[in-house]
Amino acid sequence: VQLQASGGGLVQPGGSLNLSCAVPGRTNVRYNMGWFRQDPGTVRELVAIIGWSGRTTSYADSVKSRFTISRPSTENAVYLQMSSLKPEDTAVYYCAADPLYSDLENGRPVRWGQGTLVTVSS
């Protein structure tokens, strides 16, 4: 079953947008979770990752200081707060989950969301 992501849309440059995603159903697995993005014709790239405890995070250099990843303490869910958005942030954003943090770092998580489109344009 795919992860359920939401929050994409059209925003002007310099604006903000929040994405959210959750692992559906009940599970005893504590997932590390993250966000990736892909522009047509390009390779899917990692945006941000957060560990299952919420204490470990990683960001792509291109989004550091502009994006913040977070998660609730007791749920397999993840949020991405995006600010100071730029046209080059335009992409389909995918959430992902994996029991291993390294699988997310390597771009090979076991579970993916369906993607939500973020368009930054005036």
Side-chain angles (χ1 to χ4, degrees):
V1 178
Q2 282 189 316
L3 308 182
Q4 299 165 346
S6 62
L10 173 64
V11 63
Q12 292 187 340
S16 299
L17 207 58
N18 296 325
L19 306 182
S20 61
C21 176
V23 175
R26 289 188 171 192
T27 176
N28 292 325
V29 178
R30 290 288 281 150
Y31 284 100
N32 302 283
M33 302 191 70
W35 292 94
F36 293 75
R37 67 186 181 186
Q38 186 171 22
D39 220 4
T42 66
V43 176
R44 188 174 297 186
E45 64 172 352
L46 183 151
V47 175
I49 308 173
I50 188 165
W52 63 266
S53 68
R55 290 194 294 267
T56 304
T57 58
S58 300
Y59 293 90
D61 288 342
S62 59
V63 306
K64 279 181 182 176
S65 78
R66 300 188 298 121
F67 291 11
T68 301
I69 190 169
S70 61
R71 67 179 299 159
S73 59
T74 59
E75 298 175 26
N76 282 322
V78 63
Y79 311 110
L80 188 68
Q81 295 174 280
M82 304 183 292
S83 60
S84 302
L85 283 160
K86 306 174 181 179
E88 50 264 43
D89 294 317
T90 296
V92 176
Y93 283 69
Y94 298 90
C95 66
D98 198 287
L100 296 178
Y101 195 88
S102 58
D103 282 350
L104 285 163
E105 289 180 308
N106 294 329
R108 293 194 295 269
V110 295
R111 301 190 70 169
W112 288 99
Q114 79 280 18
T116 183
L117 177 62
V118 172
T119 303
V120 184
S121 174
S122 55

